[in-house]
């Protein structure tokens, strides 16, 4: 927990139990949860935390570069503690979001900058499809 407190302080954020809990959950999750998922998971151990607190905290974390927000569909934001840009794949049936470790996409910003002469500010690469679990369930 002291490590998380130091990370928050290094970004100029006030350290609160709620912020520590939210960041800890994101750091230890591969699920790319949305705000409601975070709230429901933390509510039993943080009964005074509100959903509004979760949203505000996620906005603070995003603005300081601690996390990235993934816009997986209209009005469907998910959050990732791996703040550097990397590709994702989203299941269109169950909604799960997965990191996509593809070597060829890691330097895409530099390549696009070179091709277009744009000064790029950010990028999100998200692929959509049906995950193996959902495929298996529909074939049963």
């Amino acid at each position: 927990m002291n490590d998380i407190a130091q990370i928050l302080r290094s970004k100029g954020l006030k350290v609160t139990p709620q912020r520590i809990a939210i960041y800890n959950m994101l750091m230890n999750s591969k699920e790319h949860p949305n705000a409601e998922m975070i709230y429901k998971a933390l509510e039993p151990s943080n009964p005074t935390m509100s959903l509004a607190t979760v949203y505000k905290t996620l906005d603070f974390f995003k603005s300081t570069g601690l996390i990235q927000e993934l816009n997986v569909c209209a009005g469907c934001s998910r959050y990732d503690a791996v703040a550097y840009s990397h590709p994702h794949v989203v299941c269109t049936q169950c909604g799960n979001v997965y990191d996509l470790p593809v070597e060829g996409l890691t330097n895409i910003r530099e390549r696009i900058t070179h091709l277009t002469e744009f000064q790029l500010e950010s990028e999100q690469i998200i692929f959509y499809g049906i995950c193996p679990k959902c495929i298996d369930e529909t074939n049963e």
Side-chain angles (χ1 to χ4, degrees):
M1 294 296 175
N2 287 337
D3 291 340
I4 294 174
Q6 288 176 323
I7 292 169
L8 296 177
R9 281 189 197 100
S10 75
K11 295 292 186 176
L13 294 172
K14 181 179 174 186
V15 177
T16 66
Q18 295 88 350
R19 288 179 179 175
I20 289 173
I22 292 167
Y23 192 64
N24 186 49
M25 181 188 173
L26 285 169
M27 283 181 46
N28 293 298
S29 173
K30 298 280 185 203
E31 295 180 352
H32 305 83
N34 63 27
E36 290 81 9
M37 294 164 73
I38 294 168
Y39 172 72
K40 286 178 184 173
L42 296 176
E43 184 181 26
S45 59
N46 296 273
T48 60
M49 184 175 5
S50 69
L51 182 57
T53 297
V54 174
Y55 276 107
K56 288 177 191 173
T57 300
L58 292 170
D59 282 342
F60 284 134
F61 289 172
K62 189 176 64 172
S63 69
T64 60
L66 278 175
I67 65 171
Q68 66 171 308
E69 179 179 18
L70 305 172
N71 299 307
V72 297
C73 65
C76 303
S77 293
R78 303 290 280 269
Y79 299 90
D80 192 348
V82 179
Y84 64 85
S85 183
H86 59 282
H88 294 86
V89 62
V90 177
C91 179
T92 56
Q93 289 197 346
C94 67
N96 286 336
V97 180
Y98 304 93
D99 289 326
L100 188 60
V102 176
E103 282 298 314
L105 297 176
T106 54
N107 296 326
I108 196 158
R109 181 185 279 193
E110 291 81 18
R111 289 187 273 169
I112 298 300
T113 298
H114 178 73
L115 286 171
T116 64
E117 297 181 8
F118 270 64
Q119 181 178 346
L120 298 177
E121 298 171 355
S122 67
E123 78 277 348
Q124 283 192 354
I125 300 172
I126 302 175
F127 295 91
Y128 297 88
I130 302 171
C131 71
K133 183 179 174 188
C134 288
I135 290 171
D136 288 344
E137 290 174 1
T138 54
N139 289 336
E140 291 178 356

